[in-house]
Every structure is written in C-alpha cells, then in structure tokens.
C-alpha cells in the first residue's frame, strides 16, 4: 500500500536568507516590487523542487509569505484597518505598513504597525489583525490561488494552505474604539472564504489544508464548537474541494471529540506533541476521513527515531485498514526549523551532523516513512543509517557528563533557598550597600554603537587581536561607568559591549552547546535568529563574566556595579533544546552553571547581581492544566541559580513585561531582592496585580519606554513615579528605565537618564520634607 507524504509548510527565507535580502531591499528602495515578486517566485520554485526531489507526494503552497502568514490571511480577507488603506491603494506598501509601520514624510504618512504577538509557544511572532465593529470583509488578495497555479504550472501536485476562519478571528483583536469580539464576525467573514475556496477549486485544487491551530488551546467548547460547525458547514458547500482540518503544537485533548465529527474530509494530528491523542483519535475520527499523521517534529532540529515513528505509523495504518487513506507529514509547518544541514557540513563535526535534521532532512525523513509503509526493504539502508545515528546520539560520551548529572541529583532543599528571608536580607543589604531612598539603576545594556559592532566584527575576522579588542572593550566600559557615576545613578552597569545577544554569549562559554553556521529561523518579518543547539549535559568550564565585572567595579570605587547574567529558563527557551531528557532537567543543568558564576561574582567583590529571565512568561504551556508543573520547575531553576550567595548580596531580576496576573505567585516565589519590569505601557495592569497579590520585595517599574527614541520629560516621569508611590512603599521603590538601552543612541540615553535621576532626587527631597 502506498501512502501520501507531505509537509504542512516549508521555511520561507531560503537557504541563504534570500527573502530577507529581497524584502529589506524593497523597503530601502533598492529592489523594485517586480524584482521582489520575481525573486520570491524563484524561491518558491526552488523550495518545491527541493521537496519533490525527495519524492514528497504533495507540496504545500500558500505557506510562503513576504512577512507573516497571519498578516497574509487578514490582508486576503480585507481586514485592513482604515489607517493603512490610504497607503498605496491598500497594495504591497500597505501590507508592509501593517507589518512594520510606515513613516514617509514626503507623502505625509506616519502609521505604526499592527501589534505583534508570539505564535503560540514558538519563537515566531505574528501580526495581530484588528477587527472593528463595522468590519466588512472582501477577497482582497488571491495570493494563495496564484501560488497554487504557479506550482501546478510547474507540474507539482500541490495543496493550498490557508489559515482557517475560526483561528483567524480567534487570533485577532477588537480594534480600538470597538467592542464586538472578533469571533462575532464569523458570519460576515465566511463568504470570503467560500469565494476564495471556490477559486481554488476552479483552479484545480483537490485538497485545502485549513490551519486551525486554536484547536490545541483551552477553548470554551460551547462557543467554539458552534463556530467550527457553522464555519465548516458553510465551507462544505464549495463543491469539489476537500478540507484537511489542521491543528498543531499540542494535543487536541478535549476538543477532539467534537472536532473529529466536523464536516471535513481529513484531520491532521500533531503526533509529536499530541501523541497522547492517538488512541482516542483512532476511535473518534470517522472512517471516511483521512488521518494526516504528523510524525516528524517541525519545531526541533533532531533526527527523528524513524523506527519508533514507523511503529506508530504502522499502528495507524493497520487500525484504519478499510477506512480513508492515511498520510504522513510533519507535526507542524517546518517554518520553525532551519532550512538545510548542507551548509553545516565542514562547520559541525561528523558526529553532531549525524544527530541533526533541518527542514530539508525532515522532508527526506517523511518520504522514508512513507516508502517504508509501502515496502520496507526499499528503504532498508536509510532506516539502518538512521538507527545508527540515533544510537550514536544515545551512546555518545560527549552528551552525558556523569558529574553534572550526579550533582543535580544530589541537590537538597538548601540549594534552592537563600540563607535568610527577604526582610532580614533587606536590612543587611541596606547596611552594606548604603543606597539612597529610591535608588536609580538601568537594566543592563548601553547603546551598541556602530563603533562597538565594528570592533566586534573586526575581532571575529581577525583584523583586531584579542588584546586589542579587550582593550577597546575596557575603554568603552570605563567611559560608560564614568558617565553613569557623573549622571548620579546609584547602581551602575558595565554596559554589555562584549555581548551580541543575551543567550549566545553564555552558550559560547558553556559546554554542551554548539552553534550552527546557517541555522536561521524566522523570528518575525525579515528578522531571523540563529538559536544555539543544546546537545549535551551543560557545564561551565571557566568563569564567564567575572573579569569584565571586576574591571567594571574597579572603575567605580564608590558605587556598586551589577553583575549581569541570563537566567536558565531564558537560555533554554531561546535555544534548540535536546529532546532526550525533560526540559526541566536541561534547565537545572544550566542553572548550576549560572549558580557557579553567581558565587564567583560574589567572591570577586560584586555585591549586586542581576539574573534576567524575560522568557519565563513566554515559556508558559498552551494548556492551563500544564501551567503548574512548568511554573514549579522554572521557579526552582531560577532559585537554584541565585540562592548560593550571602544575605548581603542583592539579587535582581528583570522582566520585559508587567502583565503578570497569570504568573504573579511564581514571580513572588523567585525570592529575588529586586525586580525591574516593563511598566511604561501598562500601568494599570501592573498596579492592579500588585494590589491583588501583594508584593513585599523591592521593585522598579520602568519609568519610561526605551523602545522609542523620544526623551521623557522630568514632569511626565515624576507624575508616573508619584502614582507608583501610592501602591509601593517608598523603601521598596526603585527608579529605572523599562528595559536595556542597547538599541538606543547615546544622546537620548544621556538626556533620559539625567531626567530620571532628577526625578528620584526630587522624590527623595519631597519624601524627607
Ligand atoms: Zn527588558
């Protein structure tokens, strides 16, 4: 028997990030719209050819996007807020304006972008469509139809991919000044989908992959079941078209029972993260529906264990003998995997290469599974090679470090607890640090100027020697410390001129990490990140930041300089993580490495140490039922990293958000001495949370928004600071910006921080009076 092999989507950027170059060239006027269109067409053709070269039966189309697939879906349905409609007759420029804003003084346009949000629990971000009370819908773009025709003309069996109507609305927000919930507009939106799908059918499409990833979330069944029934009953009227209802990123769980019976022709299951659904799915999905088995992980970079996945596939195929066909596919779109391993040959060692699988290799894995169902012998060699690679990873001595594992296993409660409770520590720290009331500080980074980036690039190329580079950094650090001291800040930072990124720096210094050459994945728009790969037990062969911190402290004899570290959850969250042990265990190993660094910093005379955990909230699982376990271990690893110090040492942490309600208890349990948070955009939310949950430790809600170059006046920050004093006891309140200053320029940083110090000084006077 032969089964269909396919994937849910392919990375868009190209093997060498060609798409990034095209769209950024278009934005800067160096690439014409026609060149952008032609370059993109070529990329799509290349990607389909690559997929077909491995024998994939059917290629996805419409998964390509200039910027973001949610933006594409909104744009296609005419969900274009009025402020963008004036731009370029709601054409390509308007599309990009929705993605990234547009400031063009010569034509009098200044519009910010739509809001950006994390795509479920991935590190990809989508643009949030805005639906107004008087929203109308129309088929504004036939992009997916055009791309279908493109693939068909090239001779490919193709399946259009469309974000489904329920998910599109569920992921949208109510426009400012409106009150209806987006989902209430479903009836108005559906005719656009009927029209679009009619065009796809007319163009010859047989199947459409309708992505409804909200099915992996906790849904109000009464509301959503009705919406799905309404939507798919109406879509079923388009004659000649079959729908693959597609969800991913987790189990369907309690949504499965009703989703299984919707009037669609096939259901995709994410059997990597949602494998717990399988038995129920085999029972509940009617036999006339196709099952698409998502067996190859689209979100990680490890080679699949093909024998194991083949066993699952065989189980499904035999359970569905007389039923509709079974397909084999990726768990989710391969958008979240790097493009291909080929550029890594010669960069990574042979052994590591054998453990990895990027998008191109995942396509091959899927075709091997499909071929094995038809005739196992035909792929015996590939299966054997895979088994050898899997075994090599299980047995490699580079992966397992018994000393690390034993140390983690031997920890007891004392390794997770400070010597004394917060109030005792606070008194001791007051005596030793001698900070004024309303201490002022910054979050860590100072402007990474062109000069700083140039020096780093030259050092990496070998044009600057290590000694010259370190000297350059010392000069920059000293200037930065001296300026902060003069400006009157109380707790200083070294400025982080040696770091590109808050995870990469630590990954480069720790054992158990490797860095790829071109392992780029799209983060948002044209922005790509190259996450480190955590392949083995993590350990710290040498101190990472102690020299820099000691030097910085030596530049400031009178004021404390903060040691700056990234926390274990954030390092985990922003890396490709091993799948052969629980995430919590990997995070525990990273925490031990950070703990050693914290203790070494203290021993080197650093009295204030900040451990940043911006990713704690973004690591929240998709289902509420999984929150507790996650928050328990993420709090534990932070405490493991930070509790090895004396009472005198002040532990800070920073969060790039203040919308804490869901995780406030966890934030309190971190037992940090000081937290600094983003607050400038959402005062009420924060103050509400502080009031409801109570917060006893010291806190620095950001006094101004660093994401904008504008300089906040003394008056506006003073007003904000006065408001904060109503909720936070004076002795616990800090004054600081809301995030790091890396992306800002020196002139506005100096002016803003001078104003901030003035606010604190005036508040001290007022308080003493
Ligand atoms: Zn931040």
């Amino acid at each position: 028997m032969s089964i269909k092999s396919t994937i849910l989507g392919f990375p868009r950027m190209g093997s060498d990030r060609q798409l990034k170059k095209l769209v950024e060239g278009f934005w800067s006027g160096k690439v014409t719209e026609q060149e952008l269109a032609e370059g993109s067409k070529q990329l799509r053709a290349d990607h389909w050819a690559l997929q077909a070269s491995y024998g994939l039966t059917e290629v996805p189309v419409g998964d390509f996007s200039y910027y973001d697939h949610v933006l594409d879906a909104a744009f296609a349905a005419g969900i274009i807020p009025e402020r963008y409609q004036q731009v370029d007759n709601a054409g390509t420029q308007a599309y990009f304006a929705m993605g990234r804003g547009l400031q063009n003084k010569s034509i009098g346009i200044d519009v910010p972008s739509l809001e950006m949000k994390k795509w479920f629990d991935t590190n990809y971000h989508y643009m949030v469509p805005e639906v107004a009370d008087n929203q109308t819908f129309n088929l504004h773009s036939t992009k997916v139809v055009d791309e279908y025709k493109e693939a068909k003309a090239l001779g490919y069996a193709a399946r259009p991919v469309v974000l489904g109507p329920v998910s599109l609305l569920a992921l949208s927000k109510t426009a400012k000044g409106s009150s209806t919930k987006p989902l209430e507009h479903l009836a108005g939106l559906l005719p656009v989908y009927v029209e679009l799908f009619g065009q796809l059918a007319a163009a010859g499409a047989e199947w459409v992959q309708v992505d409804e990833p909200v099915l992996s979330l906790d849904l109000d069944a009464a509301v959503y079941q009705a919406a799905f029934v309404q939507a798919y009953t109406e879509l079923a009227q388009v004659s000649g078209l079959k729908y693959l209802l597609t969800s991913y990123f987790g189990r369907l769980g309690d949504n499965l029972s009703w989703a299984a019976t919707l009037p669609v022709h096939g259901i995709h299951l994410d059997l990597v993260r949602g494998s717990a659904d399988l038995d129920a799915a085999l029972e509940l999905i009617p036999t006339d529906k196709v099952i698409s088995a998502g067996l190859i992980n689209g979100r990680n970079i490890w080679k699949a264990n093909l024998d194991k996945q083949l066993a699952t596939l065989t189980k499904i195929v035999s359970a569905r003998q007389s039923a509709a066909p079974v397909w084999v596919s990726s768990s989710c779109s391969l958008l979240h995997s790097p493009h291909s391993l080929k550029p890594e040959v010669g960069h990574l060692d042979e052994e590591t290469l054998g453990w990895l699988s990027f998008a191109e290799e995942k396509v091959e894995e899927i075709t091997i599974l499909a071929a094995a169902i038809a005739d196992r012998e035909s792929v015996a060699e590939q299966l054997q090679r895979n088994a050898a690679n899997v075994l090599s990873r299980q047995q490699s001595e580079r992966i397992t470090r018994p000393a690390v594992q034993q140390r983690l296993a031997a920890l007891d409660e004392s390794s997770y607890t400070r010597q004394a409770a917060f109030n005792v520590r606070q008194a001791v720290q007051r005596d030793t640090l001698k900070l004024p009331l309303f201490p002022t500080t910054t979050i860590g980074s100072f402007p990474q100027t062109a000069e700083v980036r140039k020096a780093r690039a030259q050092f990496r190329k070998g044009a600057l020697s290590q000694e010259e580079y370190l000297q350059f950094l010392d000069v920059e650090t000293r200037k930065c410390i001296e300026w902060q001291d003069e400006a009157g800040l109380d707790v200083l930072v070294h400025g982080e001129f040696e770091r590109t990124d808050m995870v990469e720096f630590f990954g480069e210094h720790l054992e158990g990490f490797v860095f790829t050459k071109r392992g780029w994945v799209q983060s948002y728009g044209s922005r790509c990140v190259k996450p480190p790969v955590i392949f083995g037990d993590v350990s710290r062969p040498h101190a990472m930041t102690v020299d820099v911190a000691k030097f910085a402290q030596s530049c400031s004899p009178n004021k404390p300089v903060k040691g700056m570290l990234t926390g274990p959850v954030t390092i985990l969250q922003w890396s490709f993580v091993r799948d052969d042990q629980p995430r919590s265990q990997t995070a525990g190993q990273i925490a031990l490495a950070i703990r050693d660094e914290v203790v070494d910093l203290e021993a080197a005379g650093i009295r204030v140490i900040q451990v940043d955990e911006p990713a704690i909230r973004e690591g929240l699982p998709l289902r509420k039922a999984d929150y507790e376990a996650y928050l328990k271990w993420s709090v534990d690893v932070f405490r493991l990293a930070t509790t090895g110090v004396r009472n005198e040492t002040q532990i800070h942490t920073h969060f790039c958000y203040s919308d804490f309600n869901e995780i406030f208890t966890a934030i309190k349990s971190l037992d940090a001495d000081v937290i600094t948070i983003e607050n400038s955009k959402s005062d009420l939310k924060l103050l509400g949370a502080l009031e409801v949950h109570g917060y006893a430790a010291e806190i620095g809600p950001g006094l101004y928004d660093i994401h904008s170059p504008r300089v906040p006046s003394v008056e506006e920050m003073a007003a904000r600071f006065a408001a904060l004093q109503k909720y936070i006891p004076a002795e616990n309140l800090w004054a600081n910006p809301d995030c790091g200053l890396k992306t800002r320029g020196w002139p506005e940083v100096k002016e803003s921080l001078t104003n901030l110090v003035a606010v604190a000084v005036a508040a001290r006077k007022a308080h003493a009076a």
Side-chain angles (χ1 to χ4, degrees), residues 443 654-656 738-740:
I443 305 309
H654 168 68
F655 301 101
C656 296
D738 74 346
C739 203

Side-chain angles (χ1 to χ4, degrees), residues 255 521 589 619:
N255 302 323
V521 285
Q589 296 177 355

Side-chain angles (χ1 to χ4, degrees), residues 38 256 258 271 330 357 399 465 479 483 520 527 561 581 648 678 682 714 732 745 768:
E38 278 165 9
L256 177 64
W258 53 265
L271 293 175
S330 54
S357 173
I399 290 180
S465 70
K479 274 197 293 194
W483 182 82
W520 297 100
R527 190 175 152 75
V561 174
Q581 68 181 19
E648 291 87 323
E678 182 185 301
S682 47
V714 172
N732 285 354

